[in-house]
């Protein structure tokens, strides 16, 4: 863990963790900087040739969110990154918004991918997606989860105070000591005035919540081998969406571990890695059949 922490601290926009094995790109979630996934990344780099791009909001001097709200922005960032820094085609792996952005990238540039591993891809039903698209951002900011995100605290005197704040939230109820350590190390950064601020700005996190997509029709069109992984149903990935996805793409490998929630890759990296390996094994069996 010490080595990967050092590497993550040195990474500016993207990081190549290893170059042995199958080429995999991991894309992280809205609100959670890449480094928070250090326990999972440490395991992934032992199994794959692993590369990860930081989502745009976590980059230095990112400024305020643009007027554009759709997630194709992050898909286009990923496409450019793969073209410049990866040996395509790759396995596209992502969690939550990172998984959904990977879907959008694969739909636009399927030639860059050979398979998808989608962990709790964030999406909503078609009616909700259309409603969010039509509503002004100012009104969407009054709905959950954007409203709650904008209200949350974003500055602390120390990493310890940040961690105390996090431990009061039900969001992190399944985090173990290693997960909390990664959150404290990479969830905030220190300003020149000594204050610690969220590395993933809450203005950007809330911005992303104001236009969540429905990508089921896109998943139906994509012909790439695909593994879908989920924990318990949640507002970000509902039971209805899971069932509809299975109806639309019966060749997808569907796996779950309902001991965990939407943050499965952070709550239990070992369990998540086991599902990833299981999914790839099942894809290989399908390919050989």
């Amino acid at each position: 863990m010490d080595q990967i922490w050092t590497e993550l601290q040195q990474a500016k926009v993207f990081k190549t963790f290893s170059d042995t094995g199958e080429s995999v790109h991991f894309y992280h979630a809205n609100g959670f900087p890449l480094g928070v996934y250090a326990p999972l990344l440490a395991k992934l780099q032992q199994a794959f040739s692993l590369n990860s791009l930081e989502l745009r909001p976590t980059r230095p001097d990112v400024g305020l969110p643009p007027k554009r709200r759709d997630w194709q922005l992050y898909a286009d960032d990923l496409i450019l990154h793969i073209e410049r820094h990866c040996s395509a085609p790759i396995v596209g792996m992502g969690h939550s918004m990172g998984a959904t952005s990977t879907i959008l990238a694969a739909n636009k540039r399927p030639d860059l991918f050979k398979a998808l591993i989608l962990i709790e891809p964030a999406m909503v039903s078609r009616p909700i997606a259309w409603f969010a698209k039509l509503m002004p951002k100012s009104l969407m900011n009054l709905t959950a989860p954007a409203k709650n995100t904008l209200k949350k605290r974003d500055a602390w005197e120390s990493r310890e105070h940040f961690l105390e704040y996090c431990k009061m939230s039900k969001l992190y109820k399944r985090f173990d000591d290693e997960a909390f350590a990664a959150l404290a190390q990479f969830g905030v950064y220190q300003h020149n005035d000594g204050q610690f601020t969220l590395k993933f700005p809450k203005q950007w996190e809330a911005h992303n919540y104001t236009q969540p997509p429905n990508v089921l029709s896109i998943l139906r069109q994509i012909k790439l081998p695909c593994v879908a992984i989920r924990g318990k149903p949640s507002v970000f990935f509902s039971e209805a969406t899971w069932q509809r996805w299975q109806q639309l793409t019966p060749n997808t490998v569907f796996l779950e571990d309902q001991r965990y929630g939407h943050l499965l890759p952070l709550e239990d990296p070992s369990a998540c890695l086991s599902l990833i390996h299981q999914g790839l094994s099942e894809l290989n069996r399908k390919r050989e059949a």
Side-chain angles (χ1 to χ4, degrees), residues 11-255:
K12 296 300 182 183
V13 174
F14 74 93
K15 177 63 185 173
T16 300
F17 295 98
S18 56
D19 56 8
T20 302
E22 192 163 33
S23 295
V24 170
H25 177 272
F26 179 81
Y27 219 10
H28 61 96
N30 185 36
F32 290 90
L34 177 62
V36 177
Y37 291 83
L40 175 65
L41 296 171
K43 297 179 185 300
L44 289 174
Q45 73 171 355
Q46 296 176 6
F48 305 104
S49 176
L50 180 65
N51 185 284
S52 294
L53 173 68
E54 288 264 12
L55 279 165
R56 182 182 293 225
T58 66
R59 300 177 190 176
D61 304 318
V62 65
L64 295 175
K67 290 184 178 180
R68 179 179 179 179
R69 290 187 284 154
D70 69 276
W71 296 1
Q72 187 64 44
L73 178 70
Y74 307 116
D76 291 341
D77 285 345
L78 177 58
I79 288 169
L80 184 62
H81 171 72
I82 295 172
E83 288 178 333
R84 290 182 175 180
H85 303 291
C86 300
S87 298
I90 64 161
V91 175
M93 182 188 302
H95 173 223
S96 193
M97 190 176 79
T100 309
S101 298
T102 300
I103 294 168
L104 296 173
N107 182 57
K108 189 172 183 178
R109 288 290 307 277
D111 57 300
L112 297 179
F113 300 88
K114 57 183 174 183
L116 303 178
I117 300 176
L118 307 171
I119 308 165
E120 285 276 331
M123 64 178 97
V124 294
S125 67
R126 188 187 297 269
I128 293 176
W130 273 107
F131 174 81
K133 187 175 182 179
L134 294 173
M135 293 297 289
K137 181 180 175 181
S138 58
L139 291 181
M140 288 302 299
N141 277 337
L142 300 178
T143 65
K147 180 180 179 180
N148 296 333
T149 300
L150 290 171
K151 286 183 175 180
K152 74 180 182 181
R153 185 175 173 181
D154 63 352
W156 296 265
E157 295 177 355
S158 67
R159 294 186 193 279
E160 291 72 25
H161 286 118
F162 167 64
L163 199 54
E164 289 173 8
Y165 175 83
C166 292
K167 287 183 176 181
M168 292 188 294
S169 172
K170 292 182 179 179
L171 182 66
Y172 307 107
K173 63 183 178 182
R174 298 186 188 91
F175 274 33
D176 61 16
D177 290 343
E178 189 176 50
F180 275 124
L183 184 64
Q185 184 66 38
F186 298 105
V188 290
Y189 71 98
Q190 190 170 21
H191 272 286
N192 293 333
D193 63 2
Q195 288 277 303
F196 288 83
T197 302
L198 290 173
K199 184 173 181 182
F200 202 117
K202 67 179 184 180
Q203 291 82 4
W204 276 86
E205 182 183 354
H207 174 80
N208 294 327
Y209 289 137
T210 63
Q211 199 174 110
N214 174 274
V215 292
L216 287 177
S217 60
I218 294 176
L219 285 165
R220 189 177 188 178
Q221 296 170 6
I222 292 175
K223 304 305 180 183
L224 293 164
C226 181
V227 177
I229 295 173
R230 76 159 182 175
K232 292 181 179 180
S234 70
V235 66
F236 300 106
F237 191 47
S238 69
E239 178 67 28
T241 297
W242 181 249
Q243 296 299 330
R244 182 59 178 156
W245 188 358
Q246 292 181 65
Q247 294 170 1
L248 291 174
T249 65
N251 289 329
T252 295
V253 174
F254 292 93
L255 301 172

Side-chain angles (χ1 to χ4, degrees), residues 276-289:
I276 290 168
H277 282 310
Q278 181 183 343
L280 287 173
S281 295
E282 293 194 23
L283 284 184
N284 287 334
R285 283 197 293 270
K286 285 174 175 284
R287 192 178 297 120
E288 294 169 358

